[in-house]
Amino acid sequence: MSATSRSDFDEGGGRVTGGAEVDARATVGQAAGRAQVVAWGLWDWGASAFNAVILTFVFSVYLTNKVGDDLPGGVSPSAWLGWALGIAGFVVALTAPISGQRYDASAKRKRSLGVLTALTILTMALMFFVHDDYHYFWLGLVLLGFGSAFFELAGVPYNAMLRQVSTPTDVGRVSGFGWAMGYFGGIFILLISYFGFISGHGDNRGLLGVPIDDGTNIRLVVMLAAVWFAAFALPVLFAVPELPHTDADPGAAKAGFFGSYQVLWRDLRELWAVDRRTVGFLVAAAIFRDGLAGVFTFGAILAVRVYGIADSDVLLFGIAANVVAALGALTAGRFDDRLGPKIVIVTSLVAMVICGIALLIVSGPVMFWVFGLLLTIFVGPAQSAARSFLARLAPPGREGQMFGLYTTTGRAVSFLAPALFGFFVWAFDADRAGIVGILVVLTVGVAALLPVRSPDGIPQSGTFAP
């Protein structure tokens, strides 16, 4: 096998030579121009439509509360939804590592991102045909399950691209920029959806006066979300070049489905023998990321039931929380590049624990706004720095495999925060006590991360400034 150097790529990052495998190190910073970084971040801006509109605030609520309202049988629509998403998550957990591995080895990372994004958008568009009738509940459930799986799998090649669009000097800032774009994109699509199609009373809603009969306004919001995702996902597919064939993972490209698991096991044994911190970080990150997810999952519930926030103000708090989390991610990216991602993660998690303890003591809407926003400002930095930490650790050319494992390990422990939240609520017969469960997860995550050595060679300066 022959290897080429960085000079074998043109200025736009495309392959100049053909046929031979290249040294995987040449792919680091392969497309690290400002235009490529912005195009990469725009995918996250567009992808926020699936998380915000489909999965969290609009379609899932419509499906369970409206479409499934008259569903016959003894199982509630919410239970069916939980099972469908659980099955989708199980499929993702099983396939994400070998999928990322194959995207890298076959030099089809960008193509895979395009295909999985297109499939996600297709499921979103088909949700327009889920009418307000329980007979359509199963169609909505299947589409939501498939869409969730496609979306999570698309995140594997997308996150792996971070190594291509950044250099070792600015990976933290680029990662923070991507997270911030996702937060801001979610805010914008929710505001457009709410004021344009949902707000108000009567038979016609929003500034556009869309009828609510047969769920028309919600189905149009879903179609808007699909178009939004499609529009903002396109730039990265044009601006960032395809990953070249590399010598990073011998035999992975030709392995079949079951053979891919053998390659994965071989690579994990190699990682364990050469640098165990990657495994240690994957475990620690899985734990504290579940705690971060718990903050947003249960934040709205606590706001209303414990601190007296009005139902109508929950959306406002959610918008404010996303804004401060985005600003936190942007700011922390600079510290990530100067000091390293580990110190950013540890500082953020410790600060969140302190704010969480304060929330256990204080009462009232004002105090929740103060300490709730202080807590969420550290969520973005922790998420962003976790991604840059793994990007720095991943062997060049095998980023897809590593981020596939990142997805799988996260799925494996995703029960921790919900289970502990529920346990402490039950044990103390108080919703406020559920905060303790989330704090326990964050604390264990910090404890698991502390022994993990920081990535080598944290640079002191960078070139990218969002």
Side-chain angles (χ1 to χ4, degrees):
M1 297 181 186
S2 62
T4 58
S5 66
R6 180 66 182 89
S7 62
D8 291 315
F9 292 83
D10 62 24
E11 292 182 358
R15 281 289 306 276
V16 175
T17 58
E21 292 180 341
V22 305
D23 187 332
R25 290 171 295 181
T27 64
V28 177
Q30 174 196 12
R34 187 181 298 271
Q36 286 82 8
V37 171
V38 172
W40 179 78
L42 283 173
W43 188 94
D44 226 336
W45 175 285
S48 62
F50 185 86
N51 268 329
V53 173
I54 304 300
L55 204 56
T56 306
F57 292 110
V58 181
F59 182 76
S60 61
V61 176
Y62 166 72
L63 185 66
T64 54
N65 291 357
K66 298 293 185 182
V67 181
D69 185 43
D70 299 322
L71 189 70
V75 180
S76 71
S78 297
W80 282 115
L81 176 64
W83 292 339
L85 293 178
I87 292 171
F90 180 71
V91 172
V92 169
L94 285 181
T95 58
I98 62 167
S99 297
Q101 170 188 291
R102 293 180 68 83
Y103 304 154
D104 291 345
S106 62
K108 294 179 180 177
R109 181 183 291 173
K110 183 172 75 170
R111 181 185 299 180
S112 301
L113 175 62
V115 170
L116 289 166
T117 299
L119 289 171
T120 305
I121 293 168
L122 177 62
T123 62
M124 294 168 71
L126 290 175
M127 290 174 188
F128 175 80
F129 300 101
V130 179
H131 298 272
D132 188 2
D133 184 313
Y134 78 84
H135 293 96
Y136 290 90
F137 178 78
W138 308 110
L139 173 62
L141 202 65
V142 169
L143 290 173
L144 195 56
F146 274 99
S148 177
F150 292 142
F151 180 72
E152 285 203 56
L153 288 174
V156 174
Y158 173 75
N159 286 329
M161 275 187 177
L162 173 60
R163 199 73 167 280
Q164 289 174 262
V165 299
S166 66
T167 68
T169 63
D170 61 17
V171 60
R173 276 170 287 175
V174 173
S175 181
F177 173 72
W179 272 109
M181 289 289 279
Y183 282 125
F184 284 129
I187 294 168
F188 272 86
I189 188 63
L190 281 177
L191 288 175
I192 294 170
S193 300
Y194 178 75
F195 289 109
F197 300 84
I198 300 174
S199 64
H201 303 281
D203 295 333
N204 296 282
R205 300 290 176 86
L207 297 176
L208 299 177
V210 182
I212 63 173
D213 183 54
D214 199 26
T216 301
N217 63 327
I218 301 300
R219 294 190 292 120
L220 286 175
V221 166
V222 168
M223 185 60 70
L224 170 66
V227 173
W228 176 280
F229 194 179
F232 291 108
L234 284 174
V236 71
L237 302 178
F238 289 100
V240 179
E242 183 59 274
L243 184 76
H245 285 279
T246 72
D247 56 2
D249 208 1
K254 297 180 179 179
F257 179 79
F258 294 105
S260 294
Y261 286 100
Q262 294 178 327
V263 173
L264 176 64
W265 180 243
R266 180 202 69 191
D267 291 345
L268 286 175
R269 291 202 311 269
E270 176 187 313
L271 276 175
W272 183 257
V274 174
D275 192 354
R276 297 184 181 182
R277 63 180 163 174
T278 302
V279 178
F281 173 73
L282 287 171
V283 173
I287 297 171
F288 70 70
R289 283 161 54 218
D290 190 51
L292 298 177
V295 170
F296 281 104
T297 301
F298 300 107
I301 298 172
L302 292 171
V304 174
R305 294 180 61 84
V306 176
Y307 299 94
I309 298 286
D311 291 347
S312 57
D313 290 337
V314 170
L315 180 61
L316 294 177
F317 179 83
I319 291 171
N322 276 275
V323 169
V324 298
L327 295 176
L330 282 173
T331 303
R334 298 184 176 276
F335 292 99
D336 184 327
D337 290 327
R338 289 182 174 89
L339 305 175
K342 180 178 177 179
I343 192 169
V344 172
I345 298 171
V346 171
T347 301
S348 298
L349 296 180
V350 170
M352 290 179 68
V353 170
I354 293 172
C355 292
I357 292 173
L359 283 170
L360 281 171
I361 300 171
V362 302
S363 298
V366 174
M367 288 294 99
F368 181 81
W369 273 90
V370 172
F371 288 101
L373 290 181
L374 281 175
L375 187 149
T376 53
I377 199 171
F378 293 102
V379 174
Q383 291 174 321
S384 172
R387 179 164 64 182
S388 72
F389 196 118
L390 185 58
R392 296 181 193 274
L393 282 183
R398 283 165 52 187
E399 295 87 358
Q401 182 188 68
M402 292 298 102
F403 277 104
L405 287 168
Y406 189 70
T407 299
T408 294
T409 52
R411 274 287 176 183
V413 302
S414 60
F415 65 91
L416 283 177
L420 286 175
F421 181 90
F423 170 78
F424 280 97
V425 169
W426 168 78
F428 291 91
D429 194 24
D431 289 341
R432 183 190 295 264
I435 297 173
V436 178
I438 297 174
L439 297 182
V440 168
V441 177
L442 293 175
T443 303
V444 172
V446 173
L449 181 63
L450 288 176
V452 180
R453 185 163 52 90
S454 296
D456 299 324
I458 299 300
Q460 299 303 310
S461 63
T463 56
F464 173 73

